[in-house]
């Protein structure tokens, strides 16, 4: 498990339910942005009520687009209640659940749980869209929406950082390592290689698999759906096969 905290606890519990023996080895964490002013300005713009007193924002946003639970947590920590009329688009079910847990109504979750899928499913709007993101987020959402003439306020809400520089050493050879993002792939390549040939590299989706290959990792498993549960199911399936029949790196 490459992350600790609530995510690590939830995924570890799901792994145990599937008969796996999880080990949490946090490789990435989040940190405040280097320049907090854009985030503070966006939060003020989002949370400032209009003079009309109708719950709308005088200079606010029509939509918020979130692609991670961390972005939800950071923004919700600054704006306790979204003004009425602000709609929320989430990249996938887990991000949508994080938004609902924060008290937000979610209006759009694309069937294709990816940044490109979100851009394709996003409606034509005339108002501004707030996109709080990681500092290393790909430009897919911003470029895709702006290409359609949509006004996007692209704001770094947090930085994705490594948890250290020392090599990671485990007592036993893991049957699989979970790769849940490109940043995780790069940290595995930086701190855990060379991996034992018996260790499966399991990626949460094709985009992450491409990032893993670019980082020099083999890819043995790609989850059919972009969720930790789907990834765990795919790992269980291949581990239950006989060792000679394990899939070769794709």
């Amino acid at each position: 498990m490459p992350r600790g905290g609530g995510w690590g606890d939830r995924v570890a519990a799901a792994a145990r339910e599937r008969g796996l023996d999880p080990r949490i080895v946090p490789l990435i964490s989040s940190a405040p942005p280097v320049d907090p002013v854009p985030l503070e300005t966006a939060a003020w713009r989002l949370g400032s009520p209009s003079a009309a007193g109708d719950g709308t924002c005088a200079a606010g946003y029509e939509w918020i687009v979130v692609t991670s639970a961390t972005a939800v947590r950071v923004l919700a920590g600054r704006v306790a209640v979204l003004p009425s009329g602000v709609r929320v688009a989430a990249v996938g079910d887990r991000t949508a659940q994080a938004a609902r847990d924060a008290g937000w109504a979610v209006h759009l979750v694309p069937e294709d749980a990816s940044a490109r899928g979100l851009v394709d499913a996003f409606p034509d709007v005339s108002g501004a869209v707030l996109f709080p993101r990681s500092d290393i987020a790909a430009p897919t959402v911003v470029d895709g929406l702006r290409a359609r003439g949509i006004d996007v306020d692209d704001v770094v809400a947090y930085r994705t950082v490594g948890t250290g520089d020392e090599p990671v050493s485990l007592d036993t050879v893991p049957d699989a390592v979970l790769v849940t993002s490109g940043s995780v792939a790069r940290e595995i390549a930086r701190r855990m290689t060379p991996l034992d040939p018996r260790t499966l590299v399991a990626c949460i989706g094709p985009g992450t698999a491409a990032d893993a290959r670019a980082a020099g990792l083999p890819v043995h498993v790609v989850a059919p759906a972009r969720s930790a549960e789907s990834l765990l199911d795919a790992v269980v399936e291949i581990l239950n096969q006989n060792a000679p029949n394990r899939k070769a790196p794709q």
Side-chain angles (χ1 to χ4, degrees):
M1 306 293 178
R3 290 163 51 194
W7 185 94
D9 292 342
R10 175 180 65 80
V11 177
R16 293 186 191 97
E17 291 173 357
R18 289 161 173 80
L20 299 173
D21 181 17
R23 294 288 185 274
I24 297 175
V25 182
L27 296 174
I28 60 169
S29 185
S30 59
V34 173
D35 180 5
V37 173
L39 176 61
E40 292 169 357
T41 301
W44 174 87
R45 178 178 174 182
L46 178 63
S48 295
S50 69
D54 58 3
T56 62
C57 289
Y61 301 98
E62 185 175 347
W63 281 82
I64 301 171
V65 172
V66 283
T67 54
S68 73
T70 302
V72 173
R73 175 179 56 78
V74 169
L75 191 58
R78 285 161 175 77
V79 181
V81 179
L82 294 184
S84 62
V86 175
R87 299 168 71 84
V88 175
V91 73
D93 290 337
R94 285 297 172 186
T95 304
Q97 187 58 54
R100 295 186 184 102
D101 290 345
W104 299 359
V106 177
H107 303 86
L108 173 64
V109 183
E111 184 175 344
D112 174 7
S114 67
R116 173 51 56 190
L118 191 153
V119 170
D120 291 343
F122 202 78
D124 293 325
V125 299
S126 56
V129 173
L130 173 60
F131 179 44
R133 61 170 177 86
S134 165
D135 63 319
I136 61 171
T140 306
V141 169
V142 172
D143 290 352
L145 294 181
R146 286 178 175 169
R148 294 173 48 191
I150 295 173
D151 177 17
V152 181
D153 193 3
D154 179 23
V155 175
V156 173
Y158 63 97
R159 290 179 295 127
T160 299
V161 297
T163 56
D165 296 316
E166 66 282 358
V168 173
S169 179
L170 301 177
D171 294 336
T172 59
V173 175
D175 291 314
V177 294
L178 304 186
V179 185
T180 54
S181 67
S183 55
V184 168
R186 290 184 286 275
E187 288 301 302
I188 290 173
R190 187 171 73 92
R191 299 178 61 193
M192 295 184 67
T193 55
L195 292 170
D196 190 281
R198 294 168 290 178
T199 298
L200 299 174
V201 176
C203 298
I204 202 167
T208 301
D211 289 335
R213 295 187 188 99
L217 300 176
V219 175
H220 305 91
V221 183
V222 180
R226 200 179 185 284
S227 72
E229 290 76 12
S230 178
L231 180 57
L232 291 171
D233 289 340
V235 168
V236 169
E237 180 179 355
I238 197 168
L239 289 178
N240 284 339
Q241 298 173 6
N242 292 330
N245 294 326
R246 283 184 178 178
K247 293 181 180 178
Q250 300 170 12

